Amino acid sequence: NRDYRLRSSAVSINNGTPNVCTSADVSANRCATIITLTGFTGSAPDQGAYEYVSSSLPTITLSAPDASASETAPTPGAFRFSRTGSTAVSLSVSYAITGTAVPGDYAPTLSGTITIPAGQLTADITITPVDDTLVESPETLILTLSPSSSYTGTPSTATVTILDNDALFDFSLSNGGNR
């Protein structure tokens, strides 16, 4: 069942073309279409170009296809933002950044937004650990989807763990068994 409403503005539809969608219409989940009005009783409703208004928003899924990163080599990790629905226009997705890793532990510096380009279903953020000389426990970088009126999202978080490559050394002295 679709929801239609009479467009408040004029629209040009070429002869033989049943509908027209501009990029603004697609991003707002609405397109103009000519519909045939039948089966009504009483006075006829207004005739003209109606627009279809979709109540469904694109769904964003956040994942970590490479959830383990390491200072060795270094080996990168990755977050992936995937979307459903039309890819006619780009989609900006906001996220929060938490976890035990701090910006100096990885590159690039994260901005809190990513754009899934028009024509694409996914966009990735590659996290490259910074190889330092500190002995550290594994550190986490957690991204959480931020709410938006432009999309819905599940699951709402994904985690990349950064593993350290430095070790503690035992500097105990030995004198060959003599005391």
Side-chain angles (χ1 to χ4, degrees), residues 75-93:
T75 305
F79 292 98
R80 174 163 292 153
F81 295 79
S82 303
R83 76 179 188 184
T84 62
S86 173
T87 62
V89 296
S90 61
L91 180 63
S92 180
V93 178

Side-chain angles (χ1 to χ4, degrees), residues 117-128:
Q120 301 294 316
L121 291 172
T122 63
D124 292 345
I125 297 175
T126 300
I127 301 299
T128 303

Side-chain angles (χ1 to χ4, degrees), residues 98 101 113 125 129 135 141:
T98 58
T113 61
I125 297 175
V135 176
L141 183 58

Side-chain angles (χ1 to χ4, degrees), residues 79 98-102 105-106 137-142 159-162:
F79 292 98
T98 58
T100 58
V102 295
D105 294 331
Y106 59 86
S137 297
E139 299 168 299
T140 58
L141 183 58
I142 303 167
T159 303
V160 168
T161 301
I162 300 172

Side-chain angles (χ1 to χ4, degrees), residues 153-175:
T154 56
S156 59
T157 64
T159 303
V160 168
T161 301
I162 300 172
L163 304 174
D164 190 30
N165 65 348
D166 302 301
L168 289 174
F169 293 99
D170 182 4
F171 289 106
S172 60
L173 297 175
S174 173
N175 63 4

Side-chain angles (χ1 to χ4, degrees), residues 40-115:
F40 57 88
T41 57
S43 62
D46 292 334
Q47 297 203 21
Y50 281 74
E51 62 186 357
Y52 166 61
V53 181
S54 173
S55 60
S56 63
L57 294 172
T59 298
I60 302 299
T61 302
L62 173 57
S63 63
D66 295 317
S68 183
S70 175
E71 288 183 6
T72 304
T75 305
F79 292 98
R80 174 163 292 153
F81 295 79
S82 303
R83 76 179 188 184
T84 62
S86 173
T87 62
V89 296
S90 61
L91 180 63
S92 180
V93 178
S94 299
Y95 58 89
I97 307 157
T98 58
T100 58
V102 295
D105 294 331
Y106 59 86
T109 300
L110 300 178
S111 67
T113 61
I114 187 170
T115 299

Side-chain angles (χ1 to χ4, degrees), residues 7 20-27 30-31 89:
R7 282 185 67 104
V20 63
C21 293
T22 66
S23 60
D25 288 332
V26 172
S27 67
R30 65 175 185 257
C31 292
V89 296

